[in-house]
Amino acid sequence: RDVADPQTFNYDHPDALDTALLVDHLRALKSGDSAELPVYDYSAHRRQSETERVEPCPLVVVEGILVLEDDELFRLADLCVFVHAAPDIRLVRRIRRDVQERGRTLEGAAVRARAAVPRRADGGAGPCRRGGVRRIDQIAAKDVGSYRIPHHP
């Protein structure tokens, strides 16, 4: 969502998401309708005027740890998978993404990332405390394509 001061806004909080719009889009896709998704310019911290049309299909992947925080989004999911990564791996990935995709300086990305990627005492299991979430631990990037999710009824 667009915010008044994007440089200080905490994008790592569930309030940063336009959850109502995401819920509307998922409901539309599940009912067989298309959805017009906003296109976001991460370097400018703003939505662009155009949208991306997404057609319904048998599998919709919604990526991001914050989506597991919302009850309505969780109820809309047929399967939730949490891919756990060690804190140092999360930190490196975050910094790389912010520099390469969001136009931040290395120093700026590192400062924001250190504040946003907590070293959790629970080992990052928070999202999996909710019943029905499958957790995949410390999977190597080269193995992701061949990993099979355990049977889901």
Side-chain angles (χ1 to χ4, degrees):
R1 75 170 74 180
D2 291 336
V3 298
D5 186 2
Q7 296 302 324
T8 60
F9 186 74
N10 181 4
Y11 290 98
D12 297 296
H13 188 277
D15 289 345
L17 298 178
D18 190 346
T19 305
L21 182 61
L22 179 55
V23 166
D24 288 346
H25 287 161
L26 288 174
R27 283 186 179 141
L29 292 168
K30 285 186 86 154
S31 67
D33 297 323
S34 62
E36 294 290 332
L37 278 57
V39 175
Y40 196 77
D41 180 347
Y42 289 99
S43 61
H45 306 286
R46 299 274 181 238
R47 284 185 184 164
Q48 297 178 350
S49 58
E50 69 269 8
T51 60
E52 178 183 350
R53 184 180 190 86
V54 174
E55 298 297 332
C57 60
L59 177 67
V60 175
V61 176
V62 179
E63 183 272 335
I65 192 169
L66 296 179
V67 299
L68 294 174
E69 297 289 331
D70 184 80
D71 290 336
E72 184 64 20
L73 287 173
F74 190 79
R75 281 191 296 275
L76 284 169
D78 295 318
L79 173 68
C80 291
V81 176
F82 173 70
V83 179
H84 175 264
D88 56 336
I89 300 297
R90 294 194 309 264
L91 181 64
V92 169
R93 288 177 180 166
R94 166 79 182 247
I95 292 170
R96 182 182 303 139
R97 179 204 65 199
D98 282 1
V99 170
Q100 293 176 353
E101 298 175 19
R102 299 188 177 179
R104 291 200 169 102
T105 65
L106 181 60
E107 182 179 345
V111 167
R112 286 185 67 95
R114 278 194 301 269
V117 181
R119 303 210 176 263
R120 298 174 60 133
D122 65 8
C128 297
R129 288 194 181 125
R130 194 178 268 246
V133 175
R134 310 289 175 133
R135 178 178 164 149
I136 301 172
D137 286 314
Q138 303 282 349
I139 192 165
K142 64 181 176 50
D143 297 328
V144 169
S146 63
Y147 186 84
R148 294 193 183 270
I149 297 171
H151 175 72
H152 179 71

